[in-house]
Amino acid sequence: MIKHFVDFVTVVFGVLLLTFLLIHLVPGDPVEVMLGESASVTDRTALRTDLGLDQPLAQQFGSYLTKLSQGDLGYSIHTKTPIIELIKTRYPATLKLAVLSLFIGLAIGIPLGVFAALKANHWQDFVVTIVSVRLSAMPVFWLGPLLMLLFAVWLGWFPVSGMDDSTSIVLPALTLGLGLSAILTRMTRTSLLEVLNDDFIRTARAKGLNENTVIIRHALRAALLPIITIVGLQMGSLLAGTVITETIFSWDGIGRLLVESIEKRDYPVTQACVLVVALSYVAVNLFTDVLYRLADPRVKFGA
Amino acid sequence: MKTFAISILLFWVIAVLAGYAFGLQGNHIELDAILSGPSRQHLLGADDLGRDILARILTGVQVSFFVAIIVTVITMAIGVAIGLIAGFYGGKVDRVLMKITDIFLAFPGILLAIAFAAVLGAGLSNLILALCITGWVSYARLTRGQALSLRNRQHVLAAESLGATVPRLLLKHILPLLSSILVVEATYSIASVMIAEASLSFLGLGIQAPNASWGAMLRDGVRYMLVAPHYVLVVGLSLMSLILAINLGGDYLRDKLDVRVE
């Protein structure tokens, strides 16, 4: 447990350090890149002092951490708003998108995986496998436009982009969720097929339980363990996918904020977005780890 | 599977060569043709500046492949070196190196590559740099795990007791046993680098205008989807056909070389 916690803390520290260093990787003078060549000397000096870029690196990192602990992420160079306010307004949108995508992934992936496992090596299984293999290889910047073209432009069921309508979330959530569901389908199938050969399933059948109970209460429960891990890991590509998906569908979340900040060379905002997304991912992984340990009586925290 | 993968790859090679043979100009602007559909002059139509989409797809595929190969070679060299050292020495060296890879893995997907590309500035070389900085991690993990288990194999211990130096042990006695797993991994990685490159170009962080790249073409295609839906479709299908062919090639190699990748 303690070792686990130490691991977690070092990773978080590393993430903070790497994001902090980002701004120092700007070739040349970051202040000049941000303000443009025409900026006056006074403006440059002011920004440099503001960002603390005139101090030694270690000291800068120290004050970065101190400010962060107080919830201070600096302010946007362009709009002068505190970045924490930007994050507060944008983060819920991304969270909403990610949660709905996760739900779509689970709601489609697990039942379909169970179906494929029960029909293993029949034509139904082959169809599901082929579709899910193809779907999981589709990058969001291709799946997104396809869904947009089909459901928004041609069929007109959902808005093309934006977030004004209550159904605006459907297409971006499908873009992210379908890819996840494809991976979950394959994992559920494999995992369930492994479990179905176990002794306790034979026992359950032998004592006369009906097949549905055997599958759902016994087999699926055991098969879900590896799936939890996969979901945790896949949240990474889902979070990264939000950057592109939000851009495609003009969804005002963290991902779009990141892209906008890059276009405006508003590096403090870029830095903050990267940090927030990375920390969310670390938190998700910690959470899945705990969930796994809770779900599996064989895994002990001390181990 | 093999035939399918090879025929798609062959198709692209022939298409690129044919593009040169017919002297297709990807940057030639024809104002009358803006966003026009497929026609005799422009087999796949023209983009928002009246440039031939087919010609741009054919230049795009070369850029995409070039980046994918370079990045794969560099990341593999770095990753394998780090993985071998970590797995061979174990202990503190291993812990430190694996901690560093853990930190890189804490950034989801291509987020870190996006961040690096953003601060380094757009352009081909920075794009390659950003993908290299973030891409070595998976090779390091893979190699480290393998090296760890190969470290105490009889033939390695025998060579060591005969006085073989560490570089010799690593390169002559451990690395050759990893070659098939690395070949498979590299094949898949070409496809994933192509996707990563397209993602970054999609976000405007990759190859810069007027040079063609599939990611940037997809972005323009989305922008003009209402007027010219064929644009986004042909570019997307091109990309997917290539990704599919490479992944199938990877599957074939995996089965053929009998590699088990967890």
Side-chain angles (χ1 to χ4, degrees), chain B residues 157-238:
Chain B
L157 296 175
E160 194 175 21
S161 62
L162 286 172
T165 57
V166 173
R168 192 182 163 83
L169 286 175
L170 291 178
L171 297 177
K172 292 267 175 186
H173 297 274
I174 295 181
L175 191 59
L177 294 173
L178 291 174
S179 54
S180 52
I181 209 173
L182 288 173
V183 166
V184 174
E185 181 72 10
T187 314
Y188 288 123
S189 128
I190 289 177
S192 62
V193 173
M194 283 176 92
I195 292 181
E197 182 268 316
S199 307
L200 292 179
S201 298
F202 187 93
L203 295 172
L205 292 168
I207 290 113
Q208 293 300 290
N211 295 323
S213 88
W214 285 2
M217 290 176 80
L218 275 167
R219 184 192 48 200
D220 292 342
V222 172
R223 199 172 288 162
Y224 298 104
M225 190 184 272
L226 291 174
V227 261
H230 67 279
Y231 188 5
V232 70
L233 283 178
V234 290
V235 181
L237 286 173
S238 305

Side-chain angles (χ1 to χ4, degrees), chain A residues 207-276:
Chain A
K207 72 181 183 185
L209 291 180
N210 75 34
E211 194 59 19
N212 282 343
T213 320
V214 174
I215 299 294
I216 295 167
R217 294 282 299 275
H218 293 251
L220 192 57
R221 206 175 144 189
L224 277 179
L225 284 168
I227 298 173
I228 294 177
T229 319
I230 294 296
V231 171
L233 289 173
Q234 285 305 317
M235 284 309 281
S237 48
L238 201 142
L239 282 169
T242 56
V243 179
I244 292 168
T245 310
E246 287 177 4
T247 309
I248 296 174
F249 291 97
S250 305
W251 186 261
D252 277 331
I254 292 280
R256 194 155 181 242
L257 181 66
L258 172 68
V259 175
E260 286 165 357
S261 75
I262 292 171
E263 279 162 5
K264 292 183 203 145
R265 296 180 185 278
D266 200 342
Y267 292 133
V269 179
T270 310
Q271 211 175 7
C273 290
V274 171
L275 183 67
V276 168

Side-chain angles (χ1 to χ4, degrees), chain B:
Chain B
M1 197 158 78
K2 190 177 98 185
T3 352
F4 186 66
I6 290 178
S7 43
I8 293 181
L9 292 176
L10 214 58
F11 166 79
W12 280 105
V13 173
I14 294 171
V16 168
L17 293 177
Y20 281 118
F22 287 101
L24 287 181
Q25 293 287 323
N27 288 337
H28 176 71
I29 293 173
E30 207 174 298
L31 294 176
D32 296 341
I34 286 180
L35 294 173
S36 64
S39 66
R40 201 171 284 243
Q41 285 84 33
H42 305 285
L43 287 179
L44 296 176
D47 71 358
D48 51 308
L49 292 176
R51 297 173 297 194
D52 187 51
I53 291 177
L54 176 63
R56 294 184 71 72
I57 284 180
L58 293 179
T59 18
V61 67
Q62 296 170 58
V63 175
S64 192
F65 223 82
F66 171 75
V67 172
I69 300 280
I70 299 240
V71 171
T72 302
V73 169
I74 296 177
T75 50
M76 185 152 85
I78 301 174
V80 167
I82 291 178
L84 280 178
I85 291 170
F88 186 84
Y89 285 107
K92 218 171 230 165
V93 180
D94 182 35
R95 272 203 299 280
V96 171
L97 289 176
M98 282 307 109
K99 198 88 277 174
I100 295 173
T101 58
D102 278 350
I103 290 166
F104 273 79
L105 285 172
F107 291 87
I110 59 156
L111 182 74
L112 199 57
I114 293 177
F116 277 118
V119 292
L120 291 170
L124 185 62
S125 49
N126 284 339
L127 172 81
I128 292 175
L129 188 57
L131 290 173
C132 286
I133 299 175
T134 52
W136 57 273
V137 187
S138 58
Y139 287 107
R141 286 236 126 173
L142 183 73
T143 313
R144 180 246 178 201
Q146 298 288 322
L148 206 59
S149 65
L150 292 174
R151 169 76 185 90
N152 291 319
R153 282 269 190 98
Q154 294 283 316
H155 75 280
V156 177
L157 296 175
E160 194 175 21
S161 62
L162 286 172
T165 57
V166 173
R168 192 182 163 83
L169 286 175
L170 291 178
L171 297 177
K172 292 267 175 186
H173 297 274
I174 295 181
L175 191 59
L177 294 173
L178 291 174
S179 54
S180 52
I181 209 173
L182 288 173
V183 166
V184 174
E185 181 72 10
T187 314
Y188 288 123
S189 128
I190 289 177
S192 62
V193 173
M194 283 176 92
I195 292 181
E197 182 268 316
S199 307
L200 292 179
S201 298
F202 187 93
L203 295 172
L205 292 168
I207 290 113
Q208 293 300 290
N211 295 323
S213 88
W214 285 2
M217 290 176 80
L218 275 167
R219 184 192 48 200
D220 292 342
V222 172
R223 199 172 288 162
Y224 298 104
M225 190 184 272
L226 291 174
V227 261
H230 67 279
Y231 188 5
V232 70
L233 283 178
V234 290
V235 181
L237 286 173
S238 305
L239 180 69
M240 284 320 291
S241 75
L242 208 50
I243 302 287
L244 182 66
I246 296 169
N247 280 337
L248 284 177
D251 290 347
Y252 170 75
L253 285 175
R254 188 190 56 201
D255 296 345
K256 171 118 188 175
L257 299 172
D258 193 23
V259 169
R260 282 181 62 93
V261 183
E262 295 107 62

